[in-house]
Amino acid sequence: MRRVSSIAVAGIGIAALAFTTTACGGSSSDSKKDKGAAIAYDVGGRGDQSFNDAAYDGFAKAKKELGVEGDDVEPSEGESQADQVQRLTELAREGHNPVIAVGFVYAPAVKEVAKKFPKVTFGLVDDDTVHAKNVVNMVFNEEQSSYLAGVAAALTTKSKTVGFVGGVENPLIKKFEAGYVQGVHDTDKSVKVKVQYLTQPPDYSGFKKPDLGKNTANGQLDAGADVIYQSAGKAGTGVIEATAARGKWAIGVDMDQYKQAGLVKVKDKILASATKGVSDAVFNLIKSVKDGKPQSGTVRYGLKTGGVGLADSNPAYQKMTKVVEAVETAKKKIISGEIKVKTTP
């Protein structure tokens, strides 16, 4: 498997990017086909212990269980939409299928490139605005798992103040905020929720700066928060580290962050994690292509199908009987439709 550690763009006029590889692979002039799946990572790249790592886990599972090969490619610093178009074009031209773009920022690039390669299936995670026969929009009910996180936070806080740290203030992350705040207030209206975002579009660095996450979390802790839920990608690791250092609770996101190797030193203070099945979505798409029956259109993962949820790996959380029961009750009510979770604050 080839993994690109960085992508340098010499100029828009250049016909193809130069890919630096760590194993076997070809250049844009390589005519070989059937090179397996390809994943193009979102801001922050591999090692975020969250969103991008979840996508990689799906690819790794496909590699192990389906015998699939392929490449995973990192984003470049300060890249443009043209860079993303070139990256996806290169992967499709080399013979990768499917080509999976991890993150809504790839939507314009997928829309453009998918037209040029109608026989290649393109996966787009966290966006459902690109509609084409060879495009699969993999989307999630993040607000539902965030609601459960809110229930847990409201019942765990002792200061009656909890926090939410979002990486970038955009519609997707606002879904996390909306569900969380609703879950908190439906459980205990007296609990205050402090909401902060690290950056504003078009600045997406809020998904990759742990120090910025740490500083923001410390500000919320100073203001009395004793449970903080973060949806900030790699920057979220800083939120967790700051919260743990102060002996307070953090709530993870996307993956079961209690189990992430990079967070082992602080895992005891990760109360729970609002998960979304990016790994399953990636695996399912790769399998569908390998089976000759590629997915198409919008594939949604929600609480009812296990596509989102609240991971409870921390033994300390499991002992909180009242919290566990309340979360389970809320889960059943969301699935039955008794609770309607908002997607905007």
Side-chain angles (χ1 to χ4, degrees), residues 18-73:
F19 278 69
T20 302
T21 64
T22 57
C24 62
S27 68
S28 60
S29 62
D30 196 338
S31 61
K32 292 181 180 180
K33 298 299 180 182
D34 191 21
K35 289 194 172 182
I39 297 177
Y41 293 118
D42 197 5
V43 177
R46 280 273 305 279
D48 63 356
Q49 312 296 320
S50 184
F51 184 56
N52 288 294
D53 282 357
Y56 175 75
D57 282 357
F59 174 63
K61 180 181 178 182
K63 186 171 183 281
K64 180 180 180 180
E65 297 185 9
L66 307 176
V68 170
E69 294 297 334
D71 299 329
D72 58 324
V73 186

Side-chain angles (χ1 to χ4, degrees), residues 203-214:
D203 180 2
Y204 291 99
S205 64
F207 287 132
K208 65 178 182 179
K209 294 183 175 180
D211 286 345
L212 185 56
K214 186 175 294 186

Side-chain angles (χ1 to χ4, degrees), residues 1-327:
M1 182 187 75
R2 180 188 69 180
R3 184 176 181 221
V4 178
S5 60
S6 64
I7 298 175
V9 182
I12 296 177
I14 294 178
L17 291 172
F19 278 69
T20 302
T21 64
T22 57
C24 62
S27 68
S28 60
S29 62
D30 196 338
S31 61
K32 292 181 180 180
K33 298 299 180 182
D34 191 21
K35 289 194 172 182
I39 297 177
Y41 293 118
D42 197 5
V43 177
R46 280 273 305 279
D48 63 356
Q49 312 296 320
S50 184
F51 184 56
N52 288 294
D53 282 357
Y56 175 75
D57 282 357
F59 174 63
K61 180 181 178 182
K63 186 171 183 281
K64 180 180 180 180
E65 297 185 9
L66 307 176
V68 170
E69 294 297 334
D71 299 329
D72 58 324
V73 186
E74 295 283 3
S76 57
E77 187 70 28
E79 66 183 24
S80 67
Q81 183 179 316
D83 300 332
Q84 294 168 348
V85 167
Q86 187 61 64
R87 178 177 305 126
L88 300 185
T89 298
E90 183 74 11
L91 291 170
R93 182 182 291 141
E94 285 186 339
H96 293 94
N97 189 20
V99 174
I100 303 173
V102 184
F104 60 86
V105 295
Y106 277 104
V110 169
K111 184 176 182 179
E112 180 175 340
V113 180
K115 295 177 182 178
K116 302 175 184 177
F117 298 91
K119 294 184 180 180
V120 175
T121 295
F122 290 83
L124 178 57
V125 182
D126 276 352
D127 187 278
D128 63 353
T129 63
V130 182
H131 304 289
K133 187 176 181 180
N134 63 326
V135 174
V136 183
N137 300 286
M138 297 175 279
V139 293
F140 305 83
N141 291 118
E142 297 95 347
E143 72 282 0
Q144 295 179 346
S145 53
S146 296
Y147 184 100
L148 301 183
V151 172
L155 292 174
T156 305
T157 178
K158 296 179 179 179
S159 66
K160 294 292 184 178
T161 301
V162 301
F164 172 79
V165 177
V168 180
E169 189 169 7
N170 58 38
L172 174 65
I173 307 304
K174 297 292 275 188
K175 287 174 65 181
F176 289 85
E177 176 196 341
Y180 180 65
V181 173
Q182 184 183 346
V184 170
H185 288 159
D186 281 358
T187 304
D188 187 344
K189 288 183 171 56
S190 70
V191 176
K192 298 178 181 178
V193 184
K194 294 186 174 297
V195 175
Q196 287 178 272
Y197 286 88
L198 303 182
T199 61
Q200 300 288 325
D203 180 2
Y204 291 99
S205 64
F207 287 132
K208 65 178 182 179
K209 294 183 175 180
D211 286 345
L212 185 56
K214 186 175 294 186
N215 291 338
T216 302
N218 276 323
Q220 292 193 347
L221 293 164
D222 289 343
D226 60 355
V227 182
I228 300 179
Y229 173 42
Q230 54 80 23
S231 179
K234 193 171 185 178
T237 62
V239 175
I240 294 173
E241 289 167 357
T243 307
R246 302 276 287 270
K248 307 302 181 183
W249 289 113
I251 297 179
V253 76
D254 292 340
M255 303 180 77
D256 184 352
Q257 294 194 295
Y258 179 86
K259 294 182 176 180
Q260 297 310 300
L263 296 170
V264 66
K265 293 182 179 179
V266 295
K267 70 176 186 177
D268 288 345
K269 298 309 296 183
I270 299 176
L271 179 67
S273 296
T275 61
K276 57 193 261 186
V278 176
S279 175
D280 289 341
V282 168
F283 176 86
N284 292 341
L285 175 55
I286 294 173
K287 186 177 187 301
S288 75
V289 172
K290 180 176 175 59
D291 291 345
K293 299 177 180 179
Q295 294 176 333
S296 181
T298 297
V299 181
R300 179 170 293 279
Y301 294 83
L303 198 57
K304 186 174 183 178
T305 60
V308 300
L310 191 73
D312 59 355
S313 298
N314 193 333
Y317 172 86
Q318 295 172 15
K319 294 177 182 178
M320 300 177 183
T321 306
K322 181 180 178 181
V323 178
V324 172
E325 290 177 351
V327 167

